[in-house]
Amino acid sequence: MEVYAAFLEHTDHHVGRLIDALGPVLEDTLVYVIIGDNGASAEGTLQGAFNEMANFNGMADLETPEFLASKLDNFGGENSYGHYAVGWAWAMDTPYQWTKQVASHWGGTRNGTIVHWPRGIDDKGGIRNQFTHVIDLAPTVLEAAGIPQPTIVNGVMQSPYEGTSLLYSFNDADAAERHETQYFEMFCNRGIYHKGWSAVTKHRTPWQMSGQAMPAFDDDVWELYDGNSDWTQAKDLSKENPDKLHELQRLWLIEAVKYNVLPLDDRQIERINPTSAGRPSLIKGNSQLLFPGMGRLSENSVVDIKNKSFAVTSEVEVGDEGAQGVIIAQGGRFGGWSLYAKNGQAKFHYNVLGIKSFEVEATQPMPSGATQVRMEFAYDGGGMGKGGDVTLYYDGNEVGKGRVDQTQGFIFSADETTDIGYESGTTVSPDYTAHTSKFTGKIEWVRIDLGDDAKDADHYIEPDERFRIAMARQ
């Protein structure tokens, strides 16, 4: 929690720098400062986390109390990706109920907001209580600037904004509220606000990322609150006023249909993975061709190598002095994998959450000249996050073997990426830094093959096949 407090202070400092930089135009600049993007997060487990990605991968058990205690001096440093415990989230959301992800209750959604516009707001330091939502920001900015909402952009018809401009309240604290109705839904935690009243139901608990038994939707318990007199949602009126509750439940269904919330999907960690979630992904097929200089590729824009066999093949050119640096890396210090050269030899590093790591190194340097460097990962199978055998090849000749005992089954990172020929963020391996990660030879291309393609492909990709693939992508 001290780390969080320090970062809030850090953020406040840099918001101040931005305000100072606006200087002469500040008087006529509309500034919103929203204190958070939701309620305090309860994703750090009941005991807190050194790397919050452990929870997202269903591997929070790795971070035992003894492990956390051993890392106490590292929290807040460059080697941590920490998260405070659930108890702190609950305390920070006081006096509201619940936390981030629980979109039904104000503890999951409500945030203090500062609006600053000296030439547009006469009531300096005034307080406004009209309901507003983040979708109201764009309509407010457009009205303040005197710009109509766009109907066509680059020849594409635009959907109308759902929000309501809040400009009407800037100089009239008692103005009648215009944003009268707002639905909420996240992970099937549902709520509806309407003219001061709110009906809400919590479906799942945010810190139970996997294995949580989901109740039937019809068994969810709805609560009713009169925000006109009970803004903290403290007194449930559902039993005293069932007709009002039913009215708001029906209104939630109407809004849910209108805004494409239905059908509800209460699967848990599976929803992170497009394959298991059954939704489209940016990348199709079992093979992807990448080129040097490509970088900052998000996890959803690269074929998913998790929980399956895969192979990485790269055609490189190495000088007589040998090679150093990254051929391809995905993820970073807190989880990922990298194929790179160290002291002229190919090396594969698999990093599990920054807690465990496995390395396989070639027994000889890469030959000078044009060479195909290949890494094959043969997955054990039998579930998610299992291990596998690694084999390294130069031009189809085996040059190294080893073992990765454990992998990440769902996600490497929320913000680290895939890079070709260098690594742009924190590094998967401690063998190099972002500044020393650039490959010193020349990379022609890198190809990732999945599943049967990776298992059965010839160790050496023929030039004719390379040309065929390139032409097929035109």
Side-chain angles (χ1 to χ4, degrees):
M1 191 58 201
E2 290 178 5
V3 174
Y4 177 83
F7 194 79
L8 192 62
E9 179 73 15
H10 170 87
T11 303
D12 184 65
H13 169 76
H14 288 287
V15 170
R17 290 182 62 213
L18 175 60
I19 296 299
D20 291 343
L22 289 170
V25 300
L26 181 62
E27 290 291 303
D28 202 28
T29 301
L30 174 59
V31 178
Y32 271 87
V33 180
I34 306 175
I35 316 301
D37 61 346
N38 38 243
S41 171
E43 295 159 7
T45 78
L46 294 171
Q47 62 186 16
F50 186 67
N51 178 1
E52 69 164 324
M53 287 296 110
N55 201 18
F56 285 111
N57 280 281
M59 301 165 73
D61 290 346
L62 286 174
E63 297 196 331
T64 63
E66 293 77 16
F67 170 82
L68 292 172
S70 73
K71 296 291 187 180
L72 196 58
D73 291 340
N74 300 113
F75 274 92
E78 62 181 0
N79 292 316
S80 68
Y81 200 95
H83 199 304
Y84 49 72
V86 168
W88 278 113
W90 203 273
M92 282 193 286
D93 286 333
T94 302
Y96 305 123
Q97 299 180 59
W98 292 102
T99 63
K100 174 188 174 184
Q101 293 191 21
V102 187
S104 52
H105 294 69
W106 292 149
T109 59
R110 201 161 190 172
N111 287 258
T113 299
I114 302 165
V115 184
H116 185 265
W117 187 21
R119 287 187 184 169
I121 300 175
D122 297 328
D123 185 14
K124 315 301 181 186
I127 295 175
R128 298 294 181 268
N129 293 304
Q130 291 90 344
F131 182 89
T132 187
H133 190 277
V134 69
I135 63 173
D136 299 338
L137 265 66
T140 303
V141 169
L142 289 176
E143 185 180 0
I147 300 173
Q149 294 186 16
T151 56
I152 296 179
V153 175
N154 295 330
V156 178
M157 186 71 70
Q158 301 296 292
S159 299
Y161 289 167
E162 288 90 7
T164 304
S165 171
L166 193 61
L167 200 69
Y168 72 90
S169 70
F170 281 6
N171 287 307
D172 186 357
D174 298 320
E177 188 171 282
R178 296 185 185 178
H179 192 140
E180 295 182 329
T181 305
Q182 179 62 50
Y183 84 91
F184 297 90
E185 187 273 336
M186 184 175 183
F187 295 129
C188 303
N189 297 319
R190 290 155 284 160
I192 184 81
Y193 170 88
H194 183 64
K195 295 184 178 180
W197 288 84
S198 59
V200 301
T201 183
K202 186 196 79 70
H203 184 71
R204 68 174 298 277
T205 303
W207 54 88
Q208 295 178 9
M209 294 296 289
S210 61
Q212 184 178 173
M214 291 292 107
F217 291 123
D218 288 344
D219 292 337
D220 286 338
V221 177
W222 283 78
E223 305 158 15
L224 176 70
Y225 299 101
D226 181 1
N228 300 294
S229 58
D230 177 22
W231 59 274
T232 66
Q233 295 179 325
K235 182 173 174 55
D236 179 9
L237 300 175
S238 58
K239 290 183 172 57
E240 291 92 330
N241 198 342
D243 291 341
K244 188 67 175 180
L245 175 62
H246 295 156
E247 173 193 337
L248 292 182
Q249 286 175 306
R250 287 193 296 271
L251 183 57
W252 186 89
L253 278 173
I254 292 170
E255 294 292 296
V257 171
K258 181 179 178 182
Y259 294 112
N260 302 309
V261 179
L262 302 181
L264 294 172
D265 181 356
D266 65 355
R267 288 176 297 174
Q268 299 172 72
I269 202 165
E270 296 90 343
R271 290 181 63 176
I272 294 175
N273 187 313
T275 302
S276 58
R279 65 175 179 269
S281 61
L282 293 172
I283 300 299
K284 301 293 185 184
N286 290 331
S287 182
Q288 186 174 17
L289 187 65
L290 302 165
F291 294 97
M294 286 183 169
R296 304 305 298 166
L297 302 175
S298 69
E299 207 158 320
N300 288 335
S301 61
V302 178
V303 290
D304 185 6
I305 57 89
K306 294 180 284 291
N307 310 304
K308 57 183 71 104
S309 297
F310 71 100
V312 177
T313 308
S314 177
E315 184 166 296
V316 301
E317 190 169 319
V318 178
D320 293 338
E321 68 281 4
Q324 300 278 357
V326 170
I327 297 174
I328 178 173
Q330 181 175 43
R333 180 181 295 127
F334 307 104
W337 58 273
S338 176
L339 178 63
Y340 59 101
K342 180 183 179 183
N343 298 325
Q345 297 174 199
K347 190 170 181 179
F348 179 74
H349 186 107
Y350 197 104
N351 179 334
V352 180
L353 299 168
I355 299 173
K356 296 180 179 179
S357 61
F358 307 93
E359 295 181 336
V360 179
E361 190 168 5
T363 57
Q364 60 194 67
M366 298 178 188
S368 59
T371 301
Q372 283 200 0
V373 179
R374 182 175 176 89
M375 185 284 304
E376 290 188 356
F377 180 81
Y379 190 60
D380 290 343
M384 289 185 159
K386 304 300 183 181
D389 295 323
V390 174
T391 309
L392 297 174
Y393 300 89
Y394 299 154
D395 292 332
N397 300 309
E398 183 179 314
V399 293
K401 296 192 72 168
R403 175 82 186 157
V404 170
D405 289 332
Q406 187 176 26
T407 58
Q408 288 182 217
F410 289 98
I411 186 171
F412 287 120
S413 175
D415 44 23
E416 298 282 14
T417 56
T418 299
D419 303 304
I420 309 300
Y422 71 107
E423 194 163 3
S424 60
T426 64
T427 59
V428 172
S429 169
D431 283 343
Y432 54 86
T433 68
H435 298 293
T436 64
S437 65
K438 184 175 175 59
F439 189 70
T440 58
K442 181 181 179 182
I443 298 173
E444 296 292 342
W445 46 262
V446 178
R447 175 170 145 172
I448 304 174
D449 293 296
L450 304 182
D452 290 338
D453 285 353
K455 180 179 179 182
D456 298 333
D458 186 355
H459 296 319
Y460 193 92
I461 300 175
E462 297 293 338
D464 288 346
E465 184 184 12
R466 175 65 40 218
F467 180 77
R468 177 181 61 78
I469 294 169
M471 291 304 293
R473 294 177 181 270
Q474 297 301 310

